[in-house]
Amino acid sequence: MDAGPASPRRTGEAGRSARHAPACFGSLLVMLACSAALAAPLPPGRPPEFGRVGATPPVPPSPSVPTSPAEPKPTATPVQPDTTCLDRLRAAGATAELAPQPKPEDGSCQIETPVRLTAVSPPHGKGAIALPDGPVVSCRFAGPLADWVGAVAAPVLASARGKPLKAVRTGPGFECRNRNRQAGGKPSAHGTGIAIDISGFEFAEGAALAIKPDGHSGPDGQALAAIRQAACGWFTTVLGPGSDPYHADHLHLDVLLHGSSDRYRICQ
């Protein structure tokens, strides 16, 4: 049977004897000093939790910190539509109704009081001017749009063509996208319902006037230039053919705030 590991004291005695044996011969003084050293009580053995000499002490376990369940992400509070805006819009002769809030996949685009605008009326004319594309826009944008179409575009274009304006082609209005459809660009005003892209006008008897990159000459060109310039009184951004390649075939109108004041205009 194996004797097993030596006790700390026995190991210490043997080690001490081996260390001091060669030095304990000679003078009586040296011998007495050696005897005293061998007879002295040994220090307590190394605690087992520290392992062998030279070993790295164990790292104490980190105290457990109670974790709380993850809090749900806050959800945006739905904004109640401003029905008084819709009342004012209808009182001004526009045909509009509240529209459901668009739900784009990324959830980044929201409209303040979305309305679907289908027609406007000139202030001193007969017959409504249709918006057959039924654009969905913010009610606060629908007001200036209806005013500009009825008070400016309708009479100026009718005078140039000699026929009443019957319809305005606007596209969908709301689109959740970046400006000029550029990846990584700034969000477009279309994403909040405060912009429209007008591609052309339609008159009685089937006549039409499209926005073209090369523009128009004669009365048509003069009329389009006039209503475009006048639009700067209703909108903060007016872009069209000649502004840049992105607006070569339509007239872009929006009420996006540029800077800290709505007095700043981009009219190109």
Side-chain angles (χ1 to χ4, degrees), residues 123-191:
H124 304 292
K126 296 181 180 180
I129 301 166
L131 278 66
D133 298 322
V136 174
V137 295
S138 173
C139 186
R140 70 182 181 92
F141 175 78
L145 178 61
D147 287 345
W148 175 78
V149 170
V152 177
V156 171
L157 293 174
S159 176
R161 278 299 182 100
K163 300 177 181 179
L165 180 65
K166 290 296 184 181
V168 181
R169 307 305 309 211
T170 62
F174 169 83
E175 285 187 83
C176 188
R177 59 175 174 81
N178 292 335
R179 293 181 189 176
N180 304 323
R181 306 181 188 278
Q182 298 298 298
K186 294 182 179 180
S188 170
H190 286 276

Side-chain angles (χ1 to χ4, degrees), residues 19-252:
R19 290 194 302 272
H20 293 284
C24 288
F25 295 97
S27 66
L28 178 62
L29 183 60
V30 173
M31 294 177 66
L32 290 175
C34 287
S35 298
L38 293 173
L42 294 174
R46 187 177 182 86
E49 60 268 21
F50 286 95
R52 62 182 178 79
V53 177
T56 303
V59 179
S62 302
S64 58
V65 179
T67 58
S68 57
E71 298 182 359
K73 294 182 179 180
T75 56
T77 302
V79 179
Q80 295 300 319
D82 180 7
T83 55
T84 60
C85 176
L86 182 61
D87 293 339
R88 294 192 299 270
L89 189 62
R90 288 171 172 170
T95 303
E97 61 183 7
L98 289 176
Q101 185 69 244
K103 296 180 180 180
E105 292 182 1
D106 60 3
S108 62
C109 299
Q110 295 287 312
I111 300 178
E112 180 185 351
T113 311
V115 298
R116 186 178 299 279
L117 191 61
T118 56
V120 300
S121 297
H124 304 292
K126 296 181 180 180
I129 301 166
L131 278 66
D133 298 322
V136 174
V137 295
S138 173
C139 186
R140 70 182 181 92
F141 175 78
L145 178 61
D147 287 345
W148 175 78
V149 170
V152 177
V156 171
L157 293 174
S159 176
R161 278 299 182 100
K163 300 177 181 179
L165 180 65
K166 290 296 184 181
V168 181
R169 307 305 309 211
T170 62
F174 169 83
E175 285 187 83
C176 188
R177 59 175 174 81
N178 292 335
R179 293 181 189 176
N180 304 323
R181 306 181 188 278
Q182 298 298 298
K186 294 182 179 180
S188 170
H190 286 276
T192 52
I194 57 172
I196 205 79
D197 287 339
I198 296 176
S199 60
F201 304 90
E202 297 175 356
F203 302 85
E205 302 175 4
L209 177 60
I211 306 295
K212 299 192 305 183
D214 55 356
H216 294 269
S217 60
D220 285 348
Q222 295 173 0
L224 288 174
I227 65 173
R228 179 174 174 174
Q229 184 175 0
C232 294
W234 277 265
F235 307 99
T236 57
T237 309
V238 178
L239 301 172
S243 299
D244 55 53
Y246 303 107
H247 301 90
D249 60 355
H250 64 275
L251 196 60
H252 172 91

